[in-house]
Amino acid sequence: AVPLLVSCGEQATTIAVDPAVGRACFDSHIAALPAGTQYEGIEHAVPGRLTIRVMTGVELTTLECALSTDGSLEGGGQ
């Protein structure tokens, strides 16, 4: 017998995002981050949502920002 893999639900489609949008997402969160936090890059992007990686000095973590349909930040971030 051959196993059959079935996926439930829709899979989010990854989209290409301008690297400057990732940096703008980071900048929109900077006031709430510990001093010295560094932007590491884009983790992934799907329609309507961008996830970036940041290093807080202690750990690598992710932050999210909403994306407009044109690929820009929506409302300056989340």
Side-chain angles (χ1 to χ4, degrees):
V2 176
L4 177 64
L5 299 176
V6 179
S7 175
C8 295
E10 293 183 28
Q11 298 295 318
T13 303
T14 300
I15 60 172
V17 175
D18 183 339
V21 175
R23 184 64 192 201
C25 177
F26 174 74
D27 290 342
S28 74
H29 286 279
I30 195 70
L33 296 170
T37 297
Q38 296 180 343
Y39 173 66
E40 296 291 323
I42 295 172
E43 176 83 9
H44 67 275
V46 295
R49 179 88 27 216
L50 172 68
T51 304
I52 62 169
R53 294 181 311 275
V54 298
M55 175 59 77
T56 64
V58 179
E59 66 180 343
L60 184 64
T61 189
T62 59
L63 300 172
E64 293 187 345
C65 288
L67 289 177
S68 297
T69 56
D70 67 359
S72 64
L73 284 187
E74 187 173 282
Q78 180 180 348

